[in-house]
Amino acid sequence: MPHVRRLRQASRAMLLSRMVALLAACWLGGTSRAQGGNPQWSDEDVAFFEKQIRPLLVRRCLSCHGENKQESGLRLDAREHALKGGESGPAIVEGKPDESLLIEAVRYESLEMPPEQRLSESEVRVLEEWIRRGVPWPNGPHASLRRSRGHDFTPAERSYWAFQPVRAWPVPPVRNPSWCRNAIDRFVLARLESEGLAPAPPADRRTLIRRVYFDVIGLPPGPEEIKAFLLDPADEDVAYERMVDRLLASPHFGERMAQMWLDLVRFAESDGYRADAFRTSAWRYRDYVVSAFNSDKPYDRFVMEQLAGDELAPDDPDVRIATTFLRLGVYESNQRDARFHWKLIVDELTDVIGETFLGLSMGCARCHDHKFDPILRKDYYRLRACFAPLLFDDDTPVASADEIADHRQKLEQWERQTAKLQAQLAQIEDPILRSLEQFQVAQFPEDVQAIYAKPESQRNWLERQLAYLVHRQVLDRRADIPKKLKGNKKKEWEDLRKKLDASRPPPLPRMMTVRDAGGAATATQIPGTETVVEPGPLSILDSAPFSVQSPKTAPNSTGRRLALARWLTDPENPLPARVIVNRIWQLYFGKGIVQTPNEFGRMGQPPSHPRLLDYLAWHLVRGDQPWRLKQLHRMILLSSTYRQSTFHPNAPQNLQRDPENRWLWHAATRRLSAEQLRDLLWSATGRLDRRIGGLSVSGTLPRRSIYVRRMRNSPDPLLAVFDAPAGFVSVGTRDRTTTPLQTLLMWNSESIWKIAERVAQRVVAEGWQTPEEQVDRVCQLLWQRPAPKVWKDQAVAYLRSQTSGEEADLSSEKTRFQRLTDVCHIAMNANACLYLD
């Protein structure tokens, strides 16, 4: 129907022409403003434009009327271009929004603009206020709407995909819509069809339940859970959807998701390097992360609490625990170069912020402008400046205000009652403590010693930070007091300590947290230059520094970290939403839409499905439940894309076209993670401790792996050999190595043999007597499926075989148990146990 097509094109042209007239009028303010060349707007007008108008126009106008594209001749990225207009004339009356055609159009009273999606009521009110103010536009007619960035970024840098605004791309049409269960499938299938590929058939129920359980909660389904799902008479989609919802509501969901996050933030429970001291309260942060994912805490709040919990809610211990994130880096307890040590701590933290939240490697920009990405050296130090006032705090109680007040009252009473004993103790300890302090401080450079000698009120930020590092080593020396005492003096000291400790109120638990240093400001200066920078974002996104002020909730803080957190969670920031969506996608498919999740820059991989990534990111931030991650998990899990089989009838031909399965024509076979494997083995014994949260334990105990102590230099052997991160750097994608050490550990480790023995004990204790029953049960527990006939026949034959030689001296019952243990051990080493289909 060519005439219909021509009519549509004509209508489109007319609509564009009128849209140009309306939008061009936005910048045709009156003669009194336009002729000035660089009108001086009030500070209030400038603030209103920067916070409300600029983001709105960038988000809703520049994709069609910006530097790279000017529909109907209209360019709106600078006032100079906007004043020229397009193919029509003014549609705004300065100071009178009700008489302006622009407002009429965005209200959908005549033309409907923007045509693809209506502005919200709040956005319309913002435009009305802008017109009432006289259409302010700071910095003159040449000022770019995307800001002058203080650097001559190339068109390629400006147009790089990761820095473009997130768009709500329309769902593409497909030739086989019956395969699609949701929008994810349409994006994936559209790409498959364009490549001449078709998706794999759906996985069977038994395969699917094992996959979903491990992916969502990190644990295998039990035999009864498998049976119930296989026999569920409900429709396939209904039965599956009920299972997904149940798992997303499980408290074990948070444990599984937390493992991903702990990898990113280099979580460990030891200092690292040589001493590797145990961090007794680090587990509280781990439990905070588990709880946050279980409660589906909005991701923006989750980020803000970790960066600035002390500024958001200084009296809420559950929020303050989140700032332990800022303490997770390596600490070197015997480092005497305090200046270098603190620089290393803050540099490493800046790097982790870039990788975790922005998906960018920032480290290159520490010494020079990034060689491949539009990240300036200035940008690195603008982000680093957010942490300039940071001070570690080891004395924050994990208690409510009432509990703290009650404890203080009891402590004051105890001090009055024991004043005499304390004086006697001080007579013994004080001379020793002064000597130990003098010795320890003398290990530092003279300029640092001078800083430590200063009254705290006279120190600036950096001096307080360096003094903290010195004082922490001084406190460590307290443990040497007993070594300095002998004979009766030592006994007297021990008796006094015992009497005082017996009556002293139990101390409140403490947490590793942070606060702002206070005192005079320390400027952030780019090393080797005279350039001083203020806290701010990446220049490619915004050249203006952050608007920083002390929060009302924490007037003693600078508000720098809170400003950073707000920028990272600003819906207009194109990176953080894409980054977290990509990480969750990777959990379920083994690789992200961007296969380098910590590197969205040019040294990483481009997205395989860029419009799908944007679609998911846009709906995460602007959907019905903003920033809630469980809705994203559910959408992925319910998709046909996720539910595909690993087997494809046309695999040989498809491998020629897409050998890496980039277009997702089948499900990928994945090896279980270290934690999943260990939890599976302990689960098969029936002894896995599934309690949520609490103190970390040794890996020899049957608690879930997330609760095993993570010591940087002495990790659990099973977790380490199967590629669990050590906690020194942010890990976005774990290694998937296949090494002889893995085989040797699984075959020869005494701990693995003991687990095999416990699985055999469970099988016997449950009453499975015949070899056939026992082999079936072993495979149910370790593989979550029946054994193949050939494997089962061989295992049964081994259990029935006659004994000879040394075995003949053993009781037949003991021999049968040993052989059953062998079968369990072999099953533990099979691919059916180690891999996920």
Side-chain angles (χ1 to χ4, degrees):
M1 301 175 68
H3 64 289
V4 174
R5 188 160 53 250
R6 285 195 296 272
L7 274 173
R8 287 176 178 168
Q9 291 171 347
S11 298
R12 171 81 174 157
M14 185 180 300
L15 177 63
L16 283 173
S17 177
R18 296 199 57 189
M19 183 171 73
V20 167
L22 292 173
L23 289 177
C26 295
W27 287 267
L28 295 178
T31 309
S32 61
R33 296 277 187 181
Q35 289 180 348
N38 186 19
Q40 298 299 311
W41 306 100
S42 71
D43 292 342
E44 184 180 353
D45 287 336
V46 170
F48 177 77
F49 179 89
E50 297 294 348
K51 292 180 180 180
Q52 304 289 342
I53 299 301
R54 188 190 297 272
L56 177 59
L57 297 179
V58 169
R59 185 173 71 250
R60 306 307 297 270
C61 301
L62 287 201
S63 59
C64 296
H65 304 286
E67 179 181 6
N68 300 316
K69 183 179 180 182
Q70 301 90 40
E71 287 191 10
S72 299
L74 178 63
R75 182 172 175 177
L76 303 177
D77 58 331
R79 186 182 182 96
E80 170 187 49
H81 303 305
L83 289 174
K84 294 178 182 177
E87 298 174 357
S88 299
I92 190 169
V93 178
E94 184 179 3
K96 299 179 180 180
D98 291 335
E99 298 178 21
S100 300
L101 289 177
L102 172 66
I103 299 303
E104 181 179 319
V106 296
R107 289 173 179 168
Y108 275 40
E109 293 174 352
S110 55
L111 288 178
E112 297 180 351
M113 303 224 305
E116 69 277 6
Q117 185 179 15
R118 186 173 182 169
L119 295 182
S120 68
E121 290 184 8
S122 62
E123 289 173 326
V124 172
R125 287 196 296 270
V126 163
L127 286 176
E128 291 170 349
E129 175 62 17
W130 181 47
I131 293 174
R132 284 192 197 95
R133 291 172 179 257
V135 196
W137 180 287
N139 301 324
H142 303 283
S144 171
L145 190 60
R146 288 197 185 275
R147 302 185 187 272
S148 173
R149 296 175 174 84
H151 181 79
D152 187 18
F153 293 120
T154 67
E157 288 175 328
R158 294 175 185 271
S159 62
Y160 185 66
W161 71 268
F163 302 119
Q164 303 311 301
V166 173
R167 292 185 59 181
W169 293 99
V171 177
V174 293
R175 293 193 292 273
N176 181 24
S178 62
W179 181 78
C180 302
R181 287 184 167 92
N182 58 30
I184 288 174
D185 297 330
R186 286 186 172 269
F187 281 100
V188 171
L189 184 59
R191 189 56 194 255
L192 287 173
E193 290 176 345
S194 71
E195 297 291 332
L197 299 169
D204 62 80
R205 283 198 181 193
R206 187 181 292 276
T207 298
L208 204 54
I209 188 174
R210 187 173 193 263
R211 182 191 300 174
V212 173
Y213 264 72
F214 274 114
D215 278 350
V216 179
I217 65 173
L219 293 168
E224 295 305 316
E225 293 165 318
I226 295 173
K227 182 179 179 181
F229 182 61
L230 295 180
L231 299 179
D232 191 333
D235 173 83
E236 190 81 18
D237 286 345
V238 173
Y240 178 73
E241 187 171 340
R242 283 201 299 244
M243 178 178 64
V244 166
D245 288 341
R246 186 175 67 254
L247 292 176
L248 290 175
S250 166
H252 299 305
F253 167 79
E255 294 172 322
R256 167 70 173 146
M257 296 305 116
Q259 196 64 71
M260 168 202 73
W261 191 259
L262 298 181
D263 284 2
L264 291 173
V265 299
R266 78 277 188 239
F267 176 79
E269 295 177 271
S270 67
D271 287 342
Y273 296 146
R274 296 177 185 174
D276 211 31
F278 181 57
R279 295 175 173 178
T280 56
S281 65
W283 64 271
R284 297 184 186 279
Y285 173 78
R286 176 248 294 151
D287 282 4
Y288 161 82
V289 175
V290 171
S291 176
F293 282 113
N294 274 333
S295 65
D296 202 16
K297 180 173 289 189
Y299 182 69
D300 57 345
R301 180 70 185 188
F302 181 59
V303 171
M304 293 180 76
E305 288 180 354
Q306 292 177 80
L307 289 171
D310 58 310
E311 295 182 323
L312 287 169
D315 297 325
D316 187 342
D318 292 335
V319 174
R320 294 218 50 188
I321 285 170
T323 62
T324 300
F325 160 71
L326 301 169
R327 299 288 307 275
L328 294 178
V330 170
Y331 167 76
E332 194 171 7
S333 61
N334 59 353
Q335 174 62 262
R336 312 305 185 209
D337 188 346
R339 290 184 183 276
F340 169 78
H341 193 188
W342 187 255
K343 177 182 179 300
L344 188 68
I345 288 170
V346 182
D347 284 348
E348 189 268 349
L349 179 56
T350 306
D351 295 345
V352 169
I353 295 295
E355 292 171 342
T356 301
F357 301 112
L358 299 172
L360 295 173
S361 56
M362 301 286 296
C364 291
R366 191 184 305 163
C367 302
H368 50 72
D369 289 351
H370 203 289
K371 295 295 186 183
F372 304 101
D373 297 323
I375 304 174
L376 310 181
R377 192 182 187 202
K378 177 183 73 175
D379 293 340
Y380 183 89
Y381 287 94
R382 285 169 61 151
L383 286 180
R384 194 183 187 281
C386 297
F387 306 106
L390 190 68
L391 187 64
F392 290 176
D393 186 348
D394 302 308
D395 203 37
T396 301
V398 186
S400 66
D402 290 342
E403 290 170 330
I404 293 171
D406 181 64
H407 181 267
R408 185 180 296 115
Q409 183 179 3
K410 291 177 180 178
L411 193 60
E412 290 172 353
Q413 182 179 0
W414 172 81
E415 287 175 345
R416 289 194 299 269
Q417 293 172 347
T418 60
K420 186 175 180 181
L421 291 177
Q422 290 189 66
Q424 293 173 1
L425 184 66
Q427 273 190 325
I428 299 172
E429 285 189 346
D430 285 356
I432 298 173
L433 289 173
R434 283 194 296 270
S435 175
L436 291 173
E437 181 177 26
Q438 290 170 1
F439 172 80
Q440 191 62 37
V441 172
Q443 309 304 308
F444 290 86
E446 290 184 0
D447 63 322
V448 175
Q449 294 181 41
I451 289 171
Y452 187 74
K454 275 187 181 183
E456 184 176 2
S457 61
Q458 296 180 18
R459 297 173 186 155
N460 62 24
W461 292 345
L462 178 60
E463 290 170 340
R464 292 190 178 193
Q465 292 153 352
L466 300 181
Y468 164 84
L469 294 177
V470 177
H471 186 60
R472 185 162 171 176
Q473 294 190 29
V474 169
L475 292 178
D476 289 342
R477 282 290 177 181
R478 287 178 175 270
D480 293 342
I481 290 178
K483 300 176 185 178
K484 304 294 183 180
L485 296 170
K486 295 181 180 180
N488 292 334
K489 186 63 72 174
K490 184 174 184 178
K491 186 177 184 310
E492 181 185 358
W493 176 81
E494 290 173 344
D495 290 342
L496 287 168
R497 293 292 309 180
K498 189 178 296 185
K499 291 177 182 178
L500 287 168
D501 291 342
S503 59
R504 184 187 180 98
L508 293 172
R510 305 284 163 169
M511 57 179 154
M512 299 168 57
T513 184
V514 299
R515 59 182 172 84
D516 271 8
T522 305
T524 298
Q525 187 171 326
I526 300 178
T529 74
E530 299 297 323
T531 304
V532 174
V533 297
E534 295 297 323
L538 302 182
S539 297
I540 190 71
L541 298 175
D542 191 344
S543 67
F546 291 143
S547 176
V548 176
Q549 58 183 356
S550 297
K552 294 180 180 178
T553 51
N556 294 325
S557 289
T558 62
R560 291 188 175 203
R561 286 177 284 116
L562 187 57
L564 171 62
R566 285 174 173 155
W567 176 68
L568 289 173
T569 56
D570 186 338
E572 302 307 320
N573 191 331
L575 287 166
R578 284 188 179 119
V579 169
I580 190 60
V581 164
N582 189 62
R583 296 194 192 285
I584 292 173
W585 186 272
Q586 178 179 273
L587 277 174
Y588 295 114
F589 294 95
K591 58 185 178 183
I593 296 173
V594 178
Q595 293 186 35
T596 49
N598 276 15
E599 183 53 272
F600 275 37
R602 292 185 181 278
M603 296 303 290
Q605 295 290 319
S608 59
H609 298 76
R611 292 194 174 189
L612 172 58
L613 180 63
D614 267 18
Y615 179 90
L616 295 175
W618 194 93
H619 282 277
L620 172 66
V621 176
R622 303 183 188 280
D624 295 335
Q625 303 177 62
W627 292 109
R628 299 277 185 178
L629 295 177
K630 280 192 179 182
Q631 60 182 329
L632 176 60
H633 289 276
R634 191 175 189 274
M635 188 178 185
I636 293 173
L637 289 165
L638 296 183
S639 69
S640 295
T641 305
Y642 175 78
R643 294 158 69 172
Q644 291 182 90
S645 172
T646 55
F647 300 98
H648 196 291
N650 296 323
Q653 299 92 323
N654 289 358
L655 284 170
Q656 295 294 320
R657 295 187 177 187
D658 183 21
E660 296 182 356
N661 192 30
R662 184 171 173 80
W663 313 128
L664 301 171
W665 50 271
H666 69 93
T669 299
R670 293 170 278 144
R671 197 183 71 198
L672 296 179
S673 70
E675 293 82 4
Q676 289 171 329
L677 175 58
R678 182 182 174 278
D679 290 351
L680 165 61
L681 299 182
W682 274 111
S683 177
T685 70
R687 303 184 185 190
L688 180 65
D689 183 351
R690 300 193 180 204
R691 289 174 298 164
I692 308 296
L695 294 169
S696 298
V697 301
S698 164
T700 60
L701 297 176
R703 288 220 67 191
R704 286 206 66 181
S705 299
I706 195 171
Y707 303 115
V708 172
R709 285 186 180 179
R710 296 181 65 156
M711 304 295 287
R712 285 189 165 104
N713 291 314
S714 53
D716 177 80
L718 175 63
L719 298 181
V721 80
F722 279 97
D723 305 315
F728 285 100
V729 297
S730 174
V731 174
T733 304
R734 286 193 180 187
D735 294 332
R736 283 290 188 267
T737 62
T738 302
T739 69
L741 283 178
Q742 294 165 353
T743 303
L744 290 171
L745 182 139
M746 289 296 292
W747 279 110
N748 299 322
S749 166
E750 183 179 352
S751 63
I752 296 296
W753 273 104
K754 285 183 178 179
I755 289 177
E757 189 175 75
R758 285 167 176 149
V759 175
Q761 289 171 349
R762 175 182 180 179
V763 171
V764 171
E766 289 177 344
W768 307 100
Q769 297 181 352
T770 69
E772 290 83 0
E773 290 175 337
Q774 290 176 340
V775 171
D776 281 340
R777 188 60 172 174
V778 168
C779 293
Q780 284 179 347
L781 296 174
L782 289 167
W783 300 354
Q784 291 77 55
R785 67 185 64 187
K789 185 176 185 304
V790 173
W791 197 95
K792 181 177 179 179
D793 290 346
Q794 291 177 339
V796 169
Y798 176 67
L799 291 177
R800 290 185 182 280
S801 62
Q802 298 295 317
T803 61
S804 61
E806 293 182 2
E807 289 185 349
D809 297 333
L810 303 174
S811 68
S812 59
E813 183 178 346
K814 187 173 183 180
T815 300
R816 285 196 299 270
F817 180 77
Q818 286 182 337
R819 293 194 172 192
L820 180 58
T821 300
D822 291 341
V823 170
C824 294
H825 191 219
I826 293 168
M828 288 163 55
N829 281 273
N831 283 349
C833 178
L834 298 172
Y835 285 83
L836 194 63
D837 289 331

